[in-house]
Amino acid sequence: ITRALTVDPGEFLLQMQWLKEHGFETITQIQLYEALMEGGDLPAKPIMLTFDDGYRGIATIAAPIMKQVGYVGTAYVITDRIARDPTRAPTWMTWSQLRALEQRGWDIGSHTVSHTEVPHMTEADALQSLRASRFALEKHLGHPVQWFCYPAGAVDAKSVDWVRQAGYVLATTTQEGETHSALDPLRLSRVRVSDST
């Protein structure tokens, strides 16, 4: 599931409580990877909650609400927008907020350096952006980062190849769907949750 935080926090809490009451358990990227690629076990009703771009509301609204119900998520961040000075860039998360999310059990993934759609880049530019974003996250977080989200969900066959070459093992799109396959781990579908959901 991908969620935009343009909704009232009270409504978001109700959505999280509904998921919890109906038996859904959040999983991490590594759990999904191990299930797809190695046949690992998952809960009876697994769900991965994902948030794109790196807006500060992920850390200040979503994470505290999700903690109340025992949930974790994945934040896909645009590395050039990570705030070095939170007073000058109040819209975006900081490195310390990203590290704090990880300490709560969250995953951090790449959403490129500048949110340029991968199919619109040259191969050289795409590989540079994909790697630069991944390496920046790895440098600041202190561990490998192998999760990716296509900006605006734009993906084609060459994009998948470039994402693979850049070292990612799972990647999400904005294509609607609930079923995933080990045959296509770099083109995972999601369910969009909006204000009208």
Side-chain angles (χ1 to χ4, degrees), residues 18 34-35 43 48 55 65 67 77 86 104 128 133 157 165 172:
W18 186 93
E34 289 175 350
M48 192 160 52
Y55 290 106
I65 289 172
K67 185 178 180 182
V77 298
R104 293 181 183 180
Q128 191 281 330
S133 175
Q165 287 182 52
T172 58

Side-chain angles (χ1 to χ4, degrees), residues 1-22:
I1 288 184
T2 182
R3 183 69 174 93
L5 286 176
T6 55
V7 70
D8 177 83
E11 185 177 324
F12 182 67
L13 174 59
L14 290 174
Q15 292 172 344
M16 295 300 102
Q17 289 172 332
W18 186 93
L19 289 171
K20 189 71 170 182
E21 290 164 5
H22 286 81

Side-chain angles (χ1 to χ4, degrees), residues 112-134:
T112 71
V113 171
S114 62
H115 204 264
T116 303
E117 295 176 19
V118 180
H120 300 291
M121 297 187 204
T122 66
E123 179 176 4
D125 288 345
L127 289 172
Q128 191 281 330
S129 177
L130 292 164
R131 290 175 176 147
S133 175
R134 187 175 140 235

Side-chain angles (χ1 to χ4, degrees), residues 139-177:
K139 175 184 173 185
H140 287 274
L141 299 175
H143 60 77
V145 173
Q146 297 178 292
W147 330 122
F148 181 73
C149 175
Y150 298 93
V155 61
D156 58 13
K158 67 183 180 185
S159 304
V160 171
D161 185 52
W162 297 339
V163 167
R164 181 179 296 107
Q165 287 182 52
Y168 298 98
V169 298
L170 290 180
T172 58
T173 68
T174 55
Q175 296 167 355
E176 289 280 330

Side-chain angles (χ1 to χ4, degrees), residues 50-191:
T50 64
F51 303 83
D52 295 358
D53 301 334
Y55 290 106
R56 183 140 330 155
I58 298 167
T60 61
I61 299 171
I65 289 172
M66 290 167 62
K67 185 178 180 182
Q68 292 179 43
V69 294
Y71 280 176
V72 295
T74 298
Y76 296 111
V77 298
I78 304 162
T79 51
D80 267 3
R81 296 185 188 168
I82 296 170
R84 284 141 185 88
D85 179 355
T87 61
R88 298 182 72 191
T91 303
W92 307 105
M93 282 192 287
T94 64
W95 288 111
S96 61
Q97 286 174 318
L98 291 172
R99 287 188 287 271
L101 284 177
E102 284 198 325
Q103 289 172 356
R104 293 181 183 180
W106 280 59
D107 291 314
I108 307 301
S110 167
H111 203 36
T112 71
V113 171
S114 62
H115 204 264
T116 303
E117 295 176 19
V118 180
H120 300 291
M121 297 187 204
T122 66
E123 179 176 4
D125 288 345
L127 289 172
Q128 191 281 330
S129 177
L130 292 164
R131 290 175 176 147
S133 175
R134 187 175 140 235
F135 295 159
L137 291 169
E138 292 178 345
K139 175 184 173 185
H140 287 274
L141 299 175
H143 60 77
V145 173
Q146 297 178 292
W147 330 122
F148 181 73
C149 175
Y150 298 93
V155 61
D156 58 13
K158 67 183 180 185
S159 304
V160 171
D161 185 52
W162 297 339
V163 167
R164 181 179 296 107
Q165 287 182 52
Y168 298 98
V169 298
L170 290 180
T172 58
T173 68
T174 55
Q175 296 167 355
E176 289 280 330
E178 301 174 16
T179 304
H180 309 291
S181 167
L183 299 176
D184 210 1
L186 297 176
R187 209 186 307 231
L188 301 175
S189 59
R190 294 192 283 178
V191 175

